[in-house]
Amino acid sequence: MTQIIIDKRFCGPPNSGNGGYVCGRLARHIPGGAEVTLRAPPPLDTPLDAIATDDGTWELRDGGNIVATGRAANVELSRFEKASLEEACAAELLTPVKPPEHPLPTCFVCGPARAKGDGLRIFAGSLAGHAQKAVLAASWTPDQNLTAEDGLIAPEFLWSALDCPTGFACNCDQQSGSFDKAPLLLGRMSARIEVRPRPGERCIITAWPIGRDGRKRTAEAALHDEAGKLLAVARTTWIAVDRDVQLGRSS
């Protein structure tokens, strides 16, 4: 058993952890590709226990409550989408949620209220001129303060970077590319890391929706370096919720 504390810096909604970051923290215990399911809003600044179970899975517990479960997984995408750095920067200008109307402005990953070097400030927008209208892209240059002991970007921040772009993608219609503003919460995330970048290396994120089933919306994402080398992939399931649930005001 090890202990994990989700610092308030790494929030998604104001009072709970960013889903991708939390998934990535638990996935550190799982070699190779991993699938993490969030069972409850991850509390901030609270000691959580990461526990290996007899069947080889991991649980993240807040006392007697299970916050998340994780297991090894083979993570393959249905397809790959790529963009150049120039295209990704142009896509950011087309982000469907402008700062004044952002639902979670302090989110560690996509919050426009976060300062450079504090939040990741990843603002995914539509990839102009793409044959598939519902493909989003964004650029990301990881900060020095995101490094692990080996000098490379810590794996949980790659999970983080792939999280919110898929949430935006889940609100895109696959056929028309039109965008709705349904409040969403991450329910499950699977990711596989191929190569971890160094701080200051410019990266490109692409994300696209792959399906809807009732309140569930699914998407995929890929992270490449500026030369087009694949760094990581992710597949996510998001759940459409009431706005109060998204903000942690009710269950």
Side-chain angles (χ1 to χ4, degrees):
M1 182 178 74
T2 59
Q3 200 170 79
I4 292 174
I5 296 177
I6 309 301
D7 187 271
K8 62 183 180 182
R9 176 189 175 193
F10 305 119
C11 70
N15 299 311
S16 59
N18 170 267
Y21 175 82
V22 175
C23 290
R25 286 291 301 270
L26 186 59
R28 271 197 173 218
H29 299 282
I30 303 168
E35 176 188 274
V36 180
T37 302
L38 295 169
R39 307 288 184 183
L44 302 171
D45 293 334
T46 302
L48 305 174
D49 295 321
I51 302 170
T53 65
D54 293 339
D55 62 0
T57 62
W58 282 81
E59 293 180 348
L60 187 63
R61 288 182 168 268
D62 178 17
N65 298 321
I66 298 177
V67 174
T69 57
R71 64 179 184 87
N74 180 30
V75 185
E76 300 293 339
L77 303 188
S78 62
R79 68 181 200 262
F80 277 95
E81 299 290 353
K82 295 177 71 172
S84 68
L85 182 65
E86 181 181 11
E87 289 170 333
C89 291
E92 292 169 345
L93 301 177
L94 301 175
T95 182
V97 180
K98 304 305 180 186
E101 56 193 33
H102 197 288
L104 300 172
T106 61
C107 174
F108 171 64
V109 176
C110 67
R114 301 297 291 263
K116 269 190 173 182
D118 176 33
L120 301 189
R121 294 180 58 84
I122 295 173
F123 308 126
S126 298
L127 196 55
H130 198 283
Q132 298 285 338
K133 294 181 180 179
V135 177
L136 306 184
S139 66
W140 177 46
T141 304
D143 193 86
Q144 178 69 41
N145 65 28
L146 305 178
T147 55
E149 292 180 358
D150 60 3
L152 303 176
I153 298 303
E156 57 265 32
F157 298 119
L158 276 67
W159 283 70
S160 303
L162 292 167
D163 169 19
C164 293
T166 64
F168 278 57
C170 280
N171 275 349
C172 284
D173 182 88
Q174 285 181 268
Q175 303 303 319
S176 67
S178 62
F179 186 82
D180 67 65
K181 297 180 181 179
L184 302 176
L185 285 176
L186 183 67
R188 176 174 292 161
M189 184 171 188
S190 305
R192 184 184 82 245
I193 296 174
E194 298 285 341
V195 181
R196 288 158 49 216
R198 296 186 177 277
E201 291 185 1
R202 295 187 293 185
C203 303
I204 298 103
I205 300 159
T206 48
W208 53 94
I210 57 173
R212 294 189 181 189
D213 181 12
R215 293 170 54 226
K216 292 183 180 180
R217 304 185 179 193
T218 52
E220 296 176 337
L223 179 70
H224 293 85
D225 67 11
E226 192 174 1
K229 182 178 181 179
L230 181 65
L231 304 178
V233 298
R235 185 173 58 247
T236 60
T237 299
W238 292 74
I239 310 298
V241 297
D242 292 335
R243 175 65 169 160
D244 283 344
V245 173
Q246 185 186 45
L247 293 174
R249 293 174 180 160
S250 63
S251 57

